[in-house]
Amino acid sequence: MLTISKELEQELQQKIQSNGGVIPKTLLDSLMARFDVEIKPLLQSLLPIAAKFSIAPISNFNVGAIAYSSVSGRAYIGSNLEFNHAALCLVVHAEQSAINTAWLNGETHISHIAITDAPCGHCRQFINEVKLSEQIEILLPNTNTSLPELLPHSFGPADLGNETRLLDISDLRDSEANITVTPLLLKHYQASYAPYSGNKSAVEIKTAKHGDFYGRYAENVAYNPSLSPLQSALSQMALSGLSLDEVEVVEITLVETEQYKNQSGVADVVLGSFTGNYEIKKAYVS
Ligand code: THU
Ligand code: ZN
Protein backbone atom coordinates (compact mmCIF):
# COMPACT_ATOMS: atom_id res chain seq x y z
CA MET A 1 0.00 0.00 0.00
CA LEU A 2 1.39 3.40 -0.89
CA THR A 3 1.28 6.41 1.37
CA ILE A 4 -0.21 9.57 -0.04
CA SER A 5 1.06 12.73 1.64
CA LYS A 6 -1.42 15.17 3.19
CA GLU A 7 -0.51 17.75 0.53
CA LEU A 8 -1.15 15.38 -2.35
CA GLU A 9 -4.33 14.13 -0.70
CA GLN A 10 -5.67 17.68 -0.56
CA GLU A 11 -4.65 18.37 -4.15
CA LEU A 12 -6.37 15.18 -5.34
CA GLN A 13 -9.49 15.88 -3.32
CA GLN A 14 -9.70 19.30 -4.94
CA LYS A 15 -9.30 17.84 -8.43
CA ILE A 16 -11.85 15.08 -7.87
CA GLN A 17 -14.32 17.55 -6.38
CA SER A 18 -14.04 19.94 -9.31
CA ASN A 19 -14.66 16.93 -11.55
CA GLY A 20 -17.85 15.89 -9.74
CA GLY A 21 -16.37 12.67 -8.35
CA VAL A 22 -14.77 11.39 -11.56
CA ILE A 23 -11.05 10.51 -11.66
CA PRO A 24 -9.86 10.70 -15.28
CA LYS A 25 -7.64 7.99 -16.78
CA THR A 26 -4.77 10.45 -17.24
CA LEU A 27 -4.68 11.21 -13.53
CA LEU A 28 -4.82 7.51 -12.55
CA ASP A 29 -2.08 6.71 -15.08
CA SER A 30 0.19 9.45 -13.75
CA LEU A 31 -0.34 8.29 -10.14
CA MET A 32 0.41 4.67 -11.09
CA ALA A 33 3.65 5.80 -12.77
CA ARG A 34 4.62 8.15 -9.96
CA PHE A 35 4.19 5.54 -7.23
CA ASP A 36 5.02 2.55 -9.40
CA VAL A 37 1.86 0.67 -8.40
CA GLU A 38 -0.91 -1.22 -10.17
CA ILE A 39 -4.46 0.05 -10.32
CA LYS A 40 -5.84 -2.06 -7.43
CA PRO A 41 -3.53 -0.78 -4.66
CA LEU A 42 -3.89 2.71 -6.10
CA LEU A 43 -7.70 2.60 -5.84
CA GLN A 44 -7.41 1.36 -2.25
CA SER A 45 -4.98 4.15 -1.39
CA LEU A 46 -7.41 6.73 -2.74
CA LEU A 47 -10.26 5.51 -0.52
CA PRO A 48 -9.54 7.94 2.36
CA ILE A 49 -10.12 10.74 -0.17
CA ALA A 50 -13.47 9.20 -1.18
CA ALA A 51 -14.47 8.99 2.50
CA LYS A 52 -13.77 12.73 2.87
CA PHE A 53 -16.88 13.42 0.77
CA SER A 54 -19.07 11.55 3.26
CA ILE A 55 -21.80 13.53 5.03
CA ALA A 56 -22.79 11.46 8.05
CA PRO A 57 -24.32 13.62 10.81
CA ILE A 58 -26.18 10.64 12.32
CA SER A 59 -23.52 7.91 12.47
CA ASN A 60 -20.32 9.96 12.09
CA PHE A 61 -19.20 6.86 10.17
CA ASN A 62 -17.52 7.96 6.95
CA VAL A 63 -17.56 5.40 4.17
CA GLY A 64 -15.71 5.78 0.86
CA ALA A 65 -16.06 3.68 -2.28
CA ILE A 66 -14.48 3.85 -5.73
CA ALA A 67 -15.90 2.16 -8.83
CA TYR A 68 -13.41 1.61 -11.65
CA SER A 69 -13.75 0.55 -15.27
CA SER A 70 -10.82 -1.27 -16.88
CA VAL A 71 -12.42 -0.43 -20.25
CA SER A 72 -12.66 3.38 -19.93
CA GLY A 73 -9.81 3.55 -17.39
CA ARG A 74 -11.83 6.00 -15.31
CA ALA A 75 -12.68 5.80 -11.62
CA TYR A 76 -15.77 7.12 -9.86
CA ILE A 77 -16.02 8.23 -6.25
CA GLY A 78 -18.80 7.41 -3.82
CA SER A 79 -19.47 8.36 -0.22
CA ASN A 80 -22.33 7.87 2.21
CA LEU A 81 -24.90 10.62 2.62
CA GLU A 82 -27.20 10.84 5.65
CA PHE A 83 -30.15 13.18 6.06
CA ASN A 84 -30.64 14.57 9.54
CA HIS A 85 -34.07 13.86 11.06
CA ALA A 86 -35.21 11.83 8.07
CA ALA A 87 -35.96 8.09 7.95
CA LEU A 88 -32.78 6.03 7.99
CA CYS A 89 -33.93 4.09 4.93
CA LEU A 90 -33.23 7.23 2.88
CA VAL A 91 -29.48 7.15 3.54
CA VAL A 92 -27.31 6.80 0.43
CA HIS A 93 -24.56 4.21 0.90
CA ALA A 94 -21.07 4.85 -0.47
CA GLU A 95 -21.28 1.89 -2.88
CA GLN A 96 -24.59 3.14 -4.30
CA SER A 97 -23.05 6.58 -4.61
CA ALA A 98 -20.00 5.31 -6.56
CA ILE A 99 -22.16 3.30 -8.97
CA ASN A 100 -24.43 6.33 -9.35
CA THR A 101 -21.43 8.54 -10.21
CA ALA A 102 -20.28 6.03 -12.83
CA TRP A 103 -23.77 5.75 -14.34
CA LEU A 104 -24.45 9.49 -14.43
CA ASN A 105 -21.12 10.06 -16.13
CA GLY A 106 -21.93 7.73 -19.00
CA GLU A 107 -20.02 4.69 -17.75
CA THR A 108 -21.27 1.34 -19.09
CA HIS A 109 -18.89 -1.03 -17.36
CA ILE A 110 -17.54 -1.53 -13.85
CA SER A 111 -14.68 -3.98 -13.29
CA HIS A 112 -13.69 -3.11 -9.70
CA ILE A 113 -15.22 -1.55 -6.61
CA ALA A 114 -12.90 -0.62 -3.75
CA ILE A 115 -14.53 0.11 -0.39
CA THR A 116 -13.28 1.29 3.01
CA ASP A 117 -15.39 -1.37 4.78
CA ALA A 118 -17.20 -4.58 3.88
CA PRO A 119 -20.39 -3.80 1.93
CA CYS A 120 -23.66 -4.30 3.83
CA GLY A 121 -26.39 -6.62 2.56
CA HIS A 122 -28.32 -3.73 1.01
CA CYS A 123 -25.24 -2.73 -1.03
CA ARG A 124 -24.55 -6.30 -2.12
CA GLN A 125 -28.11 -6.37 -3.41
CA PHE A 126 -27.69 -2.97 -5.10
CA ILE A 127 -24.47 -4.10 -6.82
CA ASN A 128 -26.30 -7.25 -7.97
CA GLU A 129 -28.46 -5.05 -10.22
CA VAL A 130 -25.44 -3.76 -12.18
CA LYS A 131 -24.58 -5.12 -15.60
CA LEU A 132 -22.17 -8.09 -15.33
CA SER A 133 -22.03 -7.68 -11.56
CA GLU A 134 -20.78 -11.24 -11.17
CA GLN A 135 -17.51 -10.16 -12.82
CA ILE A 136 -16.86 -7.14 -10.58
CA GLU A 137 -13.85 -7.54 -8.34
CA ILE A 138 -14.56 -6.15 -4.87
CA LEU A 139 -11.52 -4.76 -3.08
CA LEU A 140 -11.85 -4.72 0.71
CA PRO A 141 -9.25 -3.61 3.29
CA ASN A 142 -8.07 -7.16 3.99
CA THR A 143 -9.20 -9.20 1.02
CA ASN A 144 -10.30 -9.10 -2.60
CA THR A 145 -13.55 -10.85 -3.33
CA SER A 146 -16.49 -11.01 -5.74
CA LEU A 147 -20.24 -10.63 -5.60
CA PRO A 148 -21.00 -14.35 -6.05
CA GLU A 149 -18.81 -14.91 -3.00
CA LEU A 150 -20.46 -12.14 -0.97
CA LEU A 151 -24.01 -12.88 -2.14
CA PRO A 152 -24.45 -16.57 -2.82
CA HIS A 153 -27.90 -17.95 -3.73
CA SER A 154 -28.86 -14.42 -4.76
CA PHE A 155 -32.17 -12.87 -5.71
CA GLY A 156 -31.58 -10.95 -8.93
CA PRO A 157 -33.30 -9.09 -11.80
CA ALA A 158 -34.04 -12.35 -13.65
CA ASP A 159 -36.14 -13.55 -10.68
CA LEU A 160 -38.72 -10.92 -11.61
CA GLY A 161 -38.35 -11.63 -15.30
CA ASN A 162 -36.26 -8.50 -15.91
CA GLU A 163 -33.60 -8.95 -18.56
CA THR A 164 -32.22 -5.42 -18.35
CA ARG A 165 -29.57 -4.27 -15.88
CA LEU A 166 -28.40 -1.03 -14.31
CA LEU A 167 -25.77 0.64 -16.59
CA ASP A 168 -27.30 -0.91 -19.73
CA ILE A 169 -28.27 2.65 -20.63
CA SER A 170 -25.79 5.26 -19.47
CA ASP A 171 -25.77 7.68 -22.39
CA LEU A 172 -28.09 10.62 -22.86
CA ARG A 173 -30.34 10.34 -25.89
CA ASP A 174 -32.57 12.93 -27.48
CA SER A 175 -36.13 12.59 -26.37
CA GLU A 176 -39.34 14.49 -26.68
CA ALA A 177 -42.19 15.03 -24.28
CA ASN A 178 -44.77 17.70 -24.05
CA ILE A 179 -43.56 19.18 -20.75
CA THR A 180 -41.69 22.36 -19.91
CA VAL A 181 -38.45 21.13 -18.38
CA THR A 182 -34.88 21.49 -19.64
CA PRO A 183 -33.84 19.12 -22.47
CA LEU A 184 -31.05 17.73 -20.25
CA LEU A 185 -33.47 16.82 -17.46
CA LEU A 186 -35.67 15.05 -19.99
CA LYS A 187 -32.67 13.06 -21.23
CA HIS A 188 -31.85 12.00 -17.68
CA TYR A 189 -35.48 10.99 -17.24
CA GLN A 190 -35.22 8.77 -20.33
CA ALA A 191 -31.95 7.25 -19.11
CA SER A 192 -33.37 6.39 -15.67
CA TYR A 193 -33.79 2.73 -14.70
CA ALA A 194 -37.27 1.70 -13.57
CA PRO A 195 -37.91 -1.80 -14.92
CA TYR A 196 -40.06 -2.82 -11.94
CA SER A 197 -42.47 0.08 -11.39
CA GLY A 198 -42.25 1.64 -14.84
CA ASN A 199 -41.86 5.04 -13.16
CA LYS A 200 -38.97 6.61 -15.05
CA SER A 201 -37.89 9.63 -13.05
CA ALA A 202 -35.13 12.25 -12.75
CA VAL A 203 -34.27 15.37 -10.74
CA GLU A 204 -32.53 18.64 -11.60
CA ILE A 205 -31.10 20.97 -8.95
CA LYS A 206 -30.26 24.37 -10.39
CA THR A 207 -27.94 26.45 -8.21
CA ALA A 208 -27.07 30.12 -8.50
CA LYS A 209 -23.29 29.77 -8.45
CA HIS A 210 -22.35 26.10 -8.62
CA GLY A 211 -24.01 24.86 -11.79
CA ASP A 212 -26.75 22.26 -12.18
CA PHE A 213 -26.93 18.77 -10.69
CA TYR A 214 -28.86 15.81 -12.03
CA GLY A 215 -30.04 12.55 -10.52
CA ARG A 216 -31.80 9.52 -11.93
CA TYR A 217 -33.99 6.87 -10.39
CA ALA A 218 -32.22 3.49 -10.10
CA GLU A 219 -34.57 0.69 -9.12
CA ASN A 220 -33.64 -2.62 -7.54
CA VAL A 221 -35.26 -6.01 -7.92
CA ALA A 222 -35.62 -6.22 -4.13
CA TYR A 223 -37.25 -2.76 -4.24
CA ASN A 224 -35.90 -1.30 -0.95
CA PRO A 225 -32.31 -0.71 -2.09
CA SER A 226 -33.61 1.48 -4.97
CA LEU A 227 -32.05 4.94 -5.22
CA SER A 228 -34.48 7.82 -5.72
CA PRO A 229 -33.61 10.54 -8.24
CA LEU A 230 -33.29 13.21 -5.54
CA GLN A 231 -30.91 11.03 -3.47
CA SER A 232 -28.92 10.47 -6.66
CA ALA A 233 -28.68 14.22 -7.38
CA LEU A 234 -27.79 15.11 -3.77
CA SER A 235 -25.06 12.47 -3.76
CA GLN A 236 -23.62 14.13 -6.87
CA MET A 237 -23.66 17.47 -5.08
CA ALA A 238 -21.83 15.96 -2.11
CA LEU A 239 -19.08 14.73 -4.44
CA SER A 240 -18.69 18.29 -5.66
CA GLY A 241 -18.14 19.25 -2.03
CA LEU A 242 -21.57 20.84 -1.71
CA SER A 243 -24.67 20.43 0.43
CA LEU A 244 -28.10 21.87 -0.21
CA ASP A 245 -27.73 23.82 3.03
CA GLU A 246 -24.68 25.68 1.68
CA VAL A 247 -25.71 26.69 -1.81
CA GLU A 248 -28.21 29.12 -3.24
CA VAL A 249 -30.79 27.00 -5.00
CA VAL A 250 -32.58 28.48 -7.98
CA GLU A 251 -34.98 25.63 -8.64
CA ILE A 252 -35.43 21.91 -8.00
CA THR A 253 -37.45 19.98 -10.57
CA LEU A 254 -38.67 16.39 -10.41
CA VAL A 255 -39.89 14.67 -13.56
CA GLU A 256 -41.70 11.37 -13.31
CA THR A 257 -44.14 9.26 -15.22
CA GLU A 258 -47.76 10.42 -14.95
CA GLN A 259 -49.16 6.92 -14.95
CA TYR A 260 -47.03 5.57 -12.09
CA LYS A 261 -45.81 8.52 -10.03
CA ASN A 262 -44.18 7.38 -6.77
CA GLN A 263 -41.26 9.79 -6.20
CA SER A 264 -42.97 13.02 -5.28
CA GLY A 265 -43.50 12.14 -1.59
CA VAL A 266 -39.96 10.78 -1.21
CA ALA A 267 -38.53 14.00 -2.64
CA ASP A 268 -40.57 16.10 -0.20
CA VAL A 269 -39.36 14.07 2.79
CA VAL A 270 -35.69 14.26 1.76
CA LEU A 271 -35.93 18.00 1.13
CA GLY A 272 -37.66 18.45 4.48
CA SER A 273 -34.45 17.30 6.20
CA PHE A 274 -32.64 20.47 5.06
CA THR A 275 -32.98 23.84 6.72
CA GLY A 276 -34.16 25.74 3.65
CA ASN A 277 -37.77 25.79 2.55
CA TYR A 278 -37.77 24.24 -0.89
CA GLU A 279 -40.72 24.26 -3.22
CA ILE A 280 -40.10 21.43 -5.62
CA LYS A 281 -41.39 21.85 -9.15
CA LYS A 282 -43.05 18.66 -10.37
CA ALA A 283 -43.57 17.70 -13.98
CA TYR A 284 -45.18 14.56 -15.32
CA VAL A 285 -44.58 12.76 -18.58
CA SER A 286 -47.76 11.19 -19.87
N1 THU B 1 -22.71 2.48 5.01
C1 THU B 1 -22.28 2.51 3.72
O1 THU B 1 -22.14 3.58 3.13
N2 THU B 1 -22.03 1.32 3.11
C2 THU B 1 -22.20 0.12 3.71
O2 THU B 1 -22.31 -0.89 3.04
C3 THU B 1 -22.24 0.08 5.18
C4 THU B 1 -22.94 1.26 5.76
C5 THU B 1 -23.06 3.75 5.66
C6 THU B 1 -24.55 3.97 5.77
C7 THU B 1 -24.65 4.89 6.97
O3 THU B 1 -24.44 6.20 6.54
C8 THU B 1 -23.47 4.49 7.84
O4 THU B 1 -22.56 3.80 6.99
C9 THU B 1 -23.83 3.61 9.02
O5 THU B 1 -24.49 2.47 8.61
ZN1 ZN C 1 -24.41 -0.55 2.24
Side-chain angles (χ1 to χ4, degrees):
M1 194 70 88
L2 61 140
T3 335
I4 295 182
S5 69
K6 282 283 159 236
E7 292 74 33
L8 180 60
E9 190 173 281
Q10 267 174 8
E11 184 190 323
L12 290 173
Q13 190 186 346
Q14 206 55 45
K15 275 192 183 155
I16 293 169
Q17 170 170 319
S18 63
N19 228 356
V22 179
I23 315 180
K25 182 176 187 307
T26 46
L27 182 53
L28 291 171
D29 284 346
S30 73
L31 290 169
M32 282 193 282
R34 175 168 169 182
F35 292 102
D36 191 24
V37 284
E38 300 293 321
I39 189 68
K40 291 196 260 183
L42 176 63
L43 293 173
Q44 288 179 299
S45 305
L46 294 173
L47 283 173
I49 301 178
K52 286 233 157 77
F53 291 95
S54 155
I55 301 176
I58 303 169
S59 68
N60 293 313
F61 187 68
N62 304 123
V63 186
I66 306 180
Y68 171 75
S69 165
S70 57
V71 174
S72 69
R74 300 206 292 171
Y76 306 89
I77 296 281
S79 57
N80 57 328
L81 172 60
E82 298 176 356
F83 306 103
N84 239 337
H85 313 297
L88 294 185
C89 65
L90 294 167
V91 167
V92 181
H93 289 220
E95 298 86 330
Q96 291 181 294
S97 166
I99 292 167
N100 182 57
T101 308
W103 188 41
L104 287 169
N105 283 286
E107 186 55 71
T108 55
H109 166 263
I110 292 174
S111 56
H112 298 76
I113 299 179
I115 322 166
T116 49
D117 300 88
C120 76
H122 162 103
C123 286
R124 295 174 196 205
Q125 186 66 49
F126 190 83
I127 297 169
N128 198 35
E129 196 76 26
V130 175
K131 189 167 91 181
L132 298 175
S133 60
E134 62 282 3
Q135 295 176 16
I136 298 174
E137 199 172 342
I138 299 177
L139 313 175
L140 302 181
N142 298 314
T143 184
N144 294 348
T145 181
S146 68
L147 199 60
E149 218 167 73
L150 292 176
L151 195 68
H153 313 290
S154 66
F155 178 68
D159 290 307
L160 287 193
N162 171 26
E163 284 168 12
T164 65
R165 300 290 285 269
L166 187 59
L167 263 69
D168 276 347
I169 299 178
S170 293
D171 59 328
L172 293 172
R173 299 167 192 184
D174 276 330
S175 59
E176 276 182 32
N178 207 8
I179 52 169
T180 51
V181 298
T182 62
L184 195 48
L185 178 55
L186 201 54
K187 287 181 187 183
H188 279 288
Y189 164 86
Q190 285 300 348
S192 68
Y193 176 80
Y196 306 107
S197 73
N199 188 39
K200 274 188 179 286
S201 173
V203 160
E204 176 184 71
I205 303 173
K206 280 187 163 296
T207 74
K209 297 194 188 102
H210 300 90
D212 306 332
F213 295 90
Y214 292 86
R216 297 179 200 148
Y217 189 25
E219 282 190 341
N220 185 277
V221 65
Y223 289 14
N224 300 88
S226 302
L227 190 67
S228 80
L230 183 60
Q231 290 171 299
S232 162
L234 291 172
S235 170
Q236 286 293 282
M237 274 186 91
L239 298 175
S240 289
L242 300 169
S243 152
L244 217 47
D245 281 332
E246 294 156 7
V247 299
E248 192 185 330
V249 173
V250 175
E251 192 166 56
I252 303 178
T253 309
L254 166 73
V255 182
E256 57 178 328
T257 310
E258 176 81 57
Q259 194 184 350
Y260 304 110
K261 29 179 150 158
N262 60 23
Q263 287 304 315
S264 171
V266 183
D268 289 337
V269 170
V270 172
L271 283 181
S273 73
F274 292 90
T275 46
N277 234 340
Y278 301 102
E279 190 70 49
I280 185 161
K281 182 179 150 192
K282 292 166 187 175
Y284 302 104
V285 176
S286 51

